[in-house]
Amino acid sequence: NAGVTQTPKFRILKIGQSMTLQCTQDMNHNYMYWYRQDPGMGLKLIYYSVGAGITDKGEVPNGYNVSRSTTEDFPLRLELAAPSQTSVYFCASSYGTSGTGEQFFGPGTRLTVL
Amino acid sequence: KNQVEQSPQSLIILEGKNCTLQCNYTVSPFSNLRWYKQDTGRGPVSLTIMTFSENTKSNGRYTATLDADTKQSSLHITASQLSDSASYICVVSGGRGSTLGRLYFGRGTQLTVWP
C-alpha cells in the first residue's frame, strides 16, 4: 500500500492564483481530512469528509473548497490565493464509523503565496 | 475551551539519555489520546493511542502514560538515538456530540538528540 499520497510536494503561487492540492489514499478509509500547519503551531482542520459525496467544514475553511467524488480522492481547492494561505498542508485518512480511528498522514504540500 | 498544551517547547539531550515530554489537555468529553512523531518535512506518524481506560502503552523505546483524572499524559523516550530528533505531538480526540472524532493538536515538543 502507498498509504496517503499528496501532490505537489512544493508550490509557489502568486496572489489571486488558484490551484488544487491532490490527495489519494489506497487503504479504503472512509474518513479523510485536510489540515494546515503554520510554523510553531499545531495542525488545524480545514475540511473533512466522512465518505464519498459528504464533506464538512473544520476550524479554518475560509478560502478553501473540497469535493469527495470517490473514496480514494479528496482534493483541496484554493480559489484566490492569499499570503495568509502560506503553510504546509497535510491530508490524512482514517477508518471506522465515528472518526476516532488512527489517522494516517500524507507527506505534505508546502505552499508559498507571494 | 478545548485545548492541548505541551511542554517543554523544545528539548536538547545527549544520545543515550532518557527524556520525558508532557501533555496537559482540557478536551471534554474525551475519546482517546495519541502521540505522534513528526520528522522535519514529513507528515506525523502515530506512536501510541490510549483510551481513557488505559494508563500506559509502549511502542519500543517509547512509553506513553495517561492520567484521565488530571487530564495529563507523558511520553517517555528511553536510550535516545539520533533518529529520535523530531517534533512530538500530543493529540486528543473528542468523545461525543459536537467533539466526536474531532482532533485537538498540541503545538509539539521539538526534540534534538546530540551525539
Side-chain angles (χ1 to χ4, degrees), chain B:
Chain B
K1 187 176 179 181
N2 292 311
Q3 288 184 312
V4 178
E5 301 287 341
Q6 292 187 243
S7 62
Q9 185 175 342
S10 62
L11 181 63
I12 300 174
I13 61 173
L14 293 177
E15 187 178 14
K17 298 296 186 184
N18 304 336
C19 67
T20 301
L21 314 180
Q22 301 290 343
C23 174
N24 295 335
Y25 63 94
T26 60
V27 178
S28 181
F30 156 87
S31 173
N32 58 61
L33 186 144
R34 314 154 187 224
W35 282 94
Y36 281 87
K37 178 186 180 188
Q38 185 176 21
D39 292 314
T40 301
R42 310 289 288 272
V45 174
S46 179
L47 293 174
T48 63
I49 298 178
M50 290 183 291
T51 65
F52 61 86
S53 61
E54 295 176 292
N55 299 117
T56 185
K57 182 162 278 190
S58 292
N59 178 359
R61 294 180 296 102
Y62 302 101
T63 299
T65 64
L66 173 63
D67 185 335
D69 292 331
T70 62
K71 293 185 166 58
Q72 295 179 325
S73 175
S74 65
L75 180 69
H76 186 74
I77 303 175
T78 304
S80 60
Q81 300 176 358
L82 298 180
S83 59
D84 292 332
S85 295
S87 178
Y88 292 83
I89 304 172
C90 177
V91 184
V92 179
S93 177
R96 63 178 181 271
S98 62
T99 65
L100 180 63
R102 164 85 187 274
L103 296 188
Y104 298 85
F105 289 80
R107 296 185 178 190
T109 291
Q110 183 64 47
L111 174 66
T112 303
V113 181
W114 283 2

Side-chain angles (χ1 to χ4, degrees), chain A residues 15-113:
Chain A
I15 295 172
Q17 286 185 320
S18 61
M19 76 165 293
T20 298
L21 283 66
Q22 301 292 344
C23 175
T24 299
Q25 54 95 6
D26 62 358
M27 297 173 282
N28 202 33
H29 288 168
N30 49 334
Y31 279 77
M32 293 188 75
Y33 312 81
W34 274 106
Y35 295 92
R36 60 177 287 172
Q37 185 177 35
D38 299 326
M41 303 295 288
L43 277 75
K44 293 192 182 300
L45 182 64
I46 305 171
Y47 270 95
Y48 67 100
S49 168
V50 303
I54 306 170
T55 63
D56 210 344
K57 296 178 181 179
E59 293 177 80
V60 290
N62 291 346
Y64 307 94
N65 279 300
V66 293
S67 60
R68 183 96 182 270
S69 56
T70 66
T71 299
E72 295 78 20
D73 300 306
F74 190 39
L76 177 72
R77 178 84 177 160
L78 283 72
E79 289 295 349
L80 291 170
S84 61
Q85 293 177 305
T86 294
S87 188
V88 181
Y89 292 83
F90 290 100
C91 178
S93 70
S94 70
Y95 53 87
T97 57
S98 63
T100 56
E102 179 179 353
Q103 291 195 10
F104 295 83
F105 287 81
T109 293
R110 185 175 296 274
L111 176 66
T112 301
V113 182

